[in-house]
Amino acid sequence: LRVLLRIPKEGALLPALCRVSNVPLGILKLVLTRDPGAHNDLATPDVTTGRYPLHDAACHSRGYRACLSMGHFSRAQVLTESKTSLVAVAELVTRFPQACHVEDKNSQLPVHIAIDAARKNRISTEGEVDEDYSAIVLETLLETHPESLGYRDGNTGLYPWQQAAIGRGSDLDTVFHLLRKDP
């Protein structure tokens, strides 16, 4: 795994893994349970960005997805991990919920990062949008830190519901959901 992610032996595995956008939840759980430094890595922010592994995982708005060719004459099969129980953010929040309360160096909480990631995913050309996954990530973060709805995003200066409403890729369901939580 260190070779695939190009991490030196003394480097932290968990933060590097959380930066990768397409990692199966099983691999994340393996690192969390087997890597002796994983618990410390959860509670250690990156020195340049101020982000915890949870912040980096909130950047991903879809679950694991792999496209496998099943032979010369068959169509490619797409395997996905997108069920409620398969959300990497939930695994990280369970182990270190305090990261939900911490802003990175851009003054963004994980909720702000997740909203931006979902919007970027909606306007990307990389295939289907997984709205259920994005909604579960957002809900997991809000359950842990509901007060985050009252924090302005450091990049835009907007509250989360406003942030979800602006620009290409905005989503009315997300805006409505955020407003219902904190009118």
Side-chain angles (χ1 to χ4, degrees):
L1 202 54
R2 286 185 183 280
V3 172
L4 289 174
L5 296 173
R6 297 182 182 143
I7 303 169
K9 283 192 175 189
E10 63 281 348
L13 183 58
L14 182 64
L17 188 65
C18 289
R19 287 185 203 106
V20 176
S21 64
N22 199 21
V23 174
L25 183 64
I27 299 293
L28 178 68
K29 284 185 175 184
L30 179 70
V31 169
L32 286 169
T33 56
R34 299 289 183 181
D35 183 15
H39 183 70
N40 290 337
D41 293 342
L42 277 172
T44 306
D46 182 85
V47 291
T48 57
T49 63
R51 290 184 170 191
Y52 288 89
L54 176 63
H55 288 79
D56 290 325
C59 288
H60 313 306
S61 58
R62 16 177 130 160
Y64 175 72
R65 199 171 275 196
C67 185
L68 304 172
S69 177
M70 297 301 192
H72 288 296
F73 302 108
S74 300
R75 292 181 53 194
Q77 294 250 280
V78 177
L79 303 174
T80 61
E81 254 184 12
S82 59
K83 296 182 179 158
T84 307
S85 61
L86 299 175
V87 178
V89 168
E91 191 69 29
L92 296 171
V93 166
T94 301
R95 293 172 188 263
F96 189 65
Q98 296 88 339
C100 288
H101 302 262
V102 179
E103 294 178 344
D104 66 3
K105 290 194 177 177
N106 292 328
S107 299
Q108 285 191 304
L109 293 169
V111 166
H112 299 123
I113 294 167
I115 291 169
D116 282 345
R119 186 175 47 246
K120 286 175 188 170
N121 185 35
R122 285 186 207 102
I123 60 176
S124 78
T125 58
E126 294 181 16
E128 294 180 17
V129 175
D130 193 349
E131 290 295 341
D132 292 338
Y133 189 89
S134 296
I136 293 165
V137 167
L138 196 57
E139 188 59 34
T140 301
L141 295 169
L142 290 173
E143 283 176 6
T144 306
H145 185 43
E147 298 85 13
S148 62
L149 290 170
Y151 285 80
R152 291 181 184 266
D153 173 49
N155 290 334
T156 62
L158 301 174
Y159 290 106
W161 73 268
Q162 294 169 319
Q163 181 189 0
I166 62 164
R168 288 185 59 217
S170 61
D171 180 54
L172 188 58
D173 288 336
T174 304
V175 174
F176 182 68
H177 176 72
L178 293 171
L179 278 172
R180 282 188 48 201
K181 288 219 167 265
D182 187 28

